[in-house]
Amino acid sequence: GDSVTQMEGPVTLSEEAFLTINCTYTATGYPSLFWYVQYPGEGLQLLLKATKADDKGSNKGFEATYRKETTSFHLEKGSVQVSDSAVYFCALNGGSQGNLIFGKGTKLSVKP
Amino acid sequence: DAGVIQSPRHEVTEMGQEVTLRCKPISGHNSLFWYRQTMMRGLELLIYFNNNVPIDDSGMPEDRFSAKMPNASFSTLKIQPSEPRDSAVYFCASSERGGRETQYFGPGTRLLVL
């Protein structure tokens, strides 16, 4: 079945460092891909998404490109801030009912 | 818009008690989802409604769990009787049209069963 695999955390970076969180997927058809972010004590919120191959989603300095050839949707940011500390979830819309299928989440901690 | 509203935000109860969690989706959204989040199992989809009709309840752990959506603006998730292993954060989410669309999450209900 459809699935999402993202890198294990936690990831600890210094402020202004470059961030990459890897995400790969397995899916039939042509799913849309998403990154959600969960700040401490809050629900998940959409960070960015891409709906077809080669699309780039971007928001708040974060980017991810839908790579069909490598079945990947890696999240990147050029210079992280302390306020980016959160858990990041990669997801695709798939499954028998077309629901969102989430990865296990990657916790990011940014130190000043 | 107020976003997805969940109540209560925190619930502490004793094993064997009934627990009812409530959710108000974003107005105009046709689909509603209940998730459970734990450290061990991550984020799990429990049940998914479309136009107030349950579409997929394969994630509901057992008969102790039930969910209803009597109208487009309200849903409940009930656990009866509750057990310590039900302790988790329960999220409600809604989307405009089905599971493939962007889902908007509520702040969650943190449940502790003693």
Side-chain angles (χ1 to χ4, degrees):
Chain A
D2 294 358
S3 65
V4 173
T5 302
Q6 57 181 109
M7 62 187 286
E8 296 282 333
V11 174
T12 302
L13 296 174
S14 297
E15 207 164 21
E16 298 184 3
F18 184 85
L19 168 70
T20 300
I21 300 178
N22 290 337
C23 172
T24 57
Y25 67 91
T26 301
T28 55
Y30 304 96
S32 293
L33 301 174
F34 304 79
W35 277 102
Y36 279 80
V37 58
Q38 183 179 28
Y39 298 103
E42 299 183 10
L44 281 71
Q45 54 185 275
L46 179 69
L47 180 59
L48 53 85
K49 70 177 183 181
T51 58
K52 61 183 187 297
D54 299 325
D55 268 3
K56 177 185 284 188
S58 60
N59 186 26
K60 300 180 181 180
F62 290 88
E63 293 182 340
T65 301
Y66 189 159
R67 301 287 189 199
K68 190 169 184 296
E69 63 276 11
T70 55
T71 62
S72 65
F73 193 55
H74 304 322
L75 182 68
E76 297 182 336
K77 186 175 185 182
S79 176
V80 294
Q81 305 301 310
V82 173
S83 57
D84 294 327
S85 298
V87 181
Y88 293 82
F89 293 88
C90 185
L92 65 82
N93 58 5
S96 61
Q97 300 292 346
N99 299 323
L100 286 185
I101 296 171
F102 288 90
K104 293 186 181 299
T106 302
K107 183 175 182 179
L108 170 67
S109 295
V110 180
K111 307 295 184 187
Chain B
D1 201 326
V4 176
I5 299 171
Q6 291 187 246
S7 64
R9 292 294 309 276
H10 302 274
E11 177 81 26
V12 181
T13 191
E14 293 189 345
M15 183 173 63
Q17 296 298 306
E18 177 179 296
V19 175
T20 300
L21 311 181
R22 297 173 177 79
C23 175
K24 177 179 168 54
I26 293 172
S27 177
H29 282 193
N30 294 332
S31 300
L32 184 140
F33 310 83
W34 282 101
Y35 291 89
R36 178 172 66 176
Q37 186 179 38
T38 61
M39 290 292 292
M40 292 297 294
R41 302 172 67 94
L43 194 64
E44 305 172 275
L45 176 66
L46 300 178
I47 188 169
Y48 156 33
F49 291 88
N50 198 41
N51 292 321
N52 310 338
V53 176
I55 301 300
D56 181 4
D57 65 355
S58 59
M60 295 286 265
E62 49 199 272
D63 291 345
R64 297 185 298 107
F65 285 69
S66 62
K68 294 182 180 179
M69 192 166 186
N71 57 62
S73 59
F74 183 67
S75 177
T76 59
L77 178 67
K78 186 175 293 187
I79 309 172
Q80 167 63 18
S82 58
E83 297 183 2
R85 60 193 168 123
D86 302 329
S87 298
V89 182
Y90 292 81
F91 290 104
C92 177
S94 69
S95 70
E96 285 189 30
R97 296 181 307 274
R100 293 186 177 274
E101 303 293 322
T102 299
Q103 295 181 22
Y104 297 84
F105 282 72
T109 296
R110 188 173 296 273
L111 173 65
L112 177 61
V113 182
L114 301 175

